[in-house]
Amino acid sequence: MSVFIIRRLMQSVAVLLVTALVVFLGVYAIGDPVEMLISPDASPAERAQVIASLGLDRPLWQQFLTFIWNVVHGDLGRSFVFNRPTITLILERLPATLELTLTALAIALFIGIPLGLISGLKPNSATDEAIMTGSILGFSLPSFWQGMMLIMIFSIWLGWLPSTGRGELGLFLGIQSSFFTLDGLTHLILPAVNLSLFKLSLVIRLTRTGVRETMPLDFVKFARAKGISERRIVFVHVLKNILIPLITVIGMELGSMLAFAVVTETIFAWPGIGKLLIDSIMRLDRPVVVAYLLVIVSLFILINFVVDILYSLIDPRVRLGEPS
């Protein structure tokens, strides 16, 4: 385990360095933020002062080395637009994105696994066909179109749910969240459903495939021969086996949901880090864009590490740190 952790830490540092270099070069080669930060009527002296204050008068390689030095010391830079530390801006918005992502993941799991079990246990039935048709629609329809349809149906036509914003926040044990108020929960439903639809379809298909592959195996036949109930076979023996690939994929998908909640947050005006990214790109707020991507990559690495640990706990045959 110690060797595994050390190796993963070294890989993580290398990935972060390469990501920082690629993103820094790509983002800093686009546009001129000074044009958006100062008035067109500004004098050359005022322009030079702003450029110097932002450090944009130095060569690109010096800017990158300064950025890396600051990152090592816990400083991801200051926003050009807000004149505040970028990590502060991200951490202020991160709870909203985590709320949205975790709710969407919960919807995908609590609905997708039962539907996948039903579909896998009744292959080629009318129920199976209906569930698989729904999953195909979830895969095929663009996320932005699904979001607009949800707003049109449940906000405009029926008037049941609000379409934008995070709603009223509640306080519990010193934590502010939409989970603690009815208004916050009603604002959370539509964006969470929109973000969960693609993952819901994926969970259904993975679960169905796992059930179809596991049910004909010898250990299931042996359990039936011993007189074990069908319910126990499905929910103990079969479900435990199909959870192994599910956990791996879900861990990867959780990272992608955090990174790509941008579309959902934009459609529903959800004040998370995805909307912050879009606003920063539009304003050429380079430090925020670079800091956002580094934070997301770090979250990806952390999630993958946790998935590896869970994988080894569920399947004792897996031994971390041993060559395969």
Side-chain angles (χ1 to χ4, degrees):
M1 180 66 74
S2 300
V3 174
F4 170 79
I5 293 175
I6 293 172
R7 186 169 66 245
R8 287 299 296 269
L9 287 175
M10 294 175 63
Q11 292 172 351
S12 301
V13 172
V15 169
L16 286 173
L17 282 174
V18 173
T19 302
L21 177 60
V22 173
V23 171
F24 192 91
L25 293 176
V27 171
Y28 276 69
I30 299 174
D32 184 5
V34 176
E35 297 295 335
M36 303 189 68
L37 293 175
I38 65 175
S39 170
D41 300 329
S43 65
E46 291 173 334
R47 288 179 59 87
Q49 182 180 2
V50 171
I51 291 173
S53 65
L54 297 177
L56 299 176
D57 56 335
R58 291 173 293 171
L60 192 59
W61 66 270
Q62 288 187 7
Q63 295 182 44
F64 178 71
L65 291 180
T66 302
F67 172 76
I68 293 298
W69 175 261
N70 291 335
V71 168
V72 171
H73 291 80
D75 180 9
L76 295 181
R78 296 184 70 86
S79 166
F80 292 163
V81 175
F82 298 98
N83 194 27
R84 296 174 59 195
T86 56
I87 191 63
T88 302
L89 292 172
I90 292 172
L91 292 179
E92 286 177 354
R93 302 287 192 99
L94 186 59
T97 298
L98 289 176
E99 280 179 10
L100 180 61
T101 302
L102 294 177
T103 305
L105 183 63
I107 292 173
L109 293 178
F110 285 112
I111 297 178
I113 291 178
L115 289 180
L117 283 173
I118 294 170
S119 183
L121 294 172
K122 299 180 179 179
N124 303 319
S125 65
T127 303
D128 177 40
E129 295 293 335
I131 293 174
M132 295 309 296
T133 300
S135 71
I136 291 173
L137 291 176
F139 269 122
S140 306
L141 299 177
S143 180
F144 70 88
W145 186 87
Q146 294 174 5
M148 290 188 293
M149 290 300 102
L150 288 172
I151 291 174
M152 183 178 296
I153 295 171
F154 293 101
S155 295
I156 298 175
W157 289 354
L158 299 176
W160 290 352
L161 297 169
S163 60
T164 58
R166 193 179 176 192
E168 181 184 354
L169 303 182
L171 188 65
F172 182 71
L173 298 178
I175 301 174
Q176 272 195 330
S177 175
S178 302
F179 295 136
F180 306 137
T181 66
L182 180 60
D183 183 62
L185 288 173
T186 56
H187 279 79
L188 181 60
I189 292 173
L190 285 185
V193 169
N194 178 234
L195 186 60
S196 71
L197 288 177
F198 181 86
K199 311 306 176 187
L200 173 62
S201 302
L202 180 62
V203 171
I204 289 174
R205 286 179 167 272
L206 286 173
T207 305
R208 180 183 185 275
T209 302
V211 172
R212 293 292 305 277
E213 291 177 349
T214 305
M215 291 302 289
L217 296 181
D218 290 340
F219 77 90
V220 176
K221 297 176 182 178
F222 182 71
R224 286 198 181 109
K226 289 177 62 178
I228 298 176
S229 67
E230 195 70 17
R231 180 183 296 271
R232 180 173 176 80
I233 290 173
V234 171
F235 289 101
V236 176
H237 300 285
V238 174
L239 190 58
K240 183 178 180 181
N241 276 272
I242 66 176
L243 278 179
I244 296 172
L246 265 178
I247 285 177
T248 304
V249 174
I250 288 167
M252 296 294 293
E253 292 302 316
L254 177 59
S256 68
M257 290 171 79
L258 282 170
F260 303 113
V262 176
V263 175
T264 298
E265 291 186 358
T266 302
I267 293 172
F268 293 92
W270 188 263
I273 56 176
K275 191 169 187 307
L276 175 65
L277 174 66
I278 294 298
D279 294 340
S280 300
I281 291 174
M282 297 298 293
R283 299 176 180 178
L284 293 179
D285 198 352
R286 294 167 172 174
V288 175
V289 176
V290 176
Y292 166 87
L293 292 172
L294 288 181
V295 169
I296 288 298
V297 171
S298 301
L299 289 174
F300 260 105
I301 292 170
L302 177 61
I303 291 170
N304 288 337
F305 178 78
V306 173
V307 167
D308 287 339
I309 299 297
L310 291 176
Y311 195 101
S312 67
L313 293 176
I314 291 177
D315 189 352
R317 295 171 297 178
V318 177
R319 291 293 180 265
L320 298 178
E322 294 183 0
S324 56

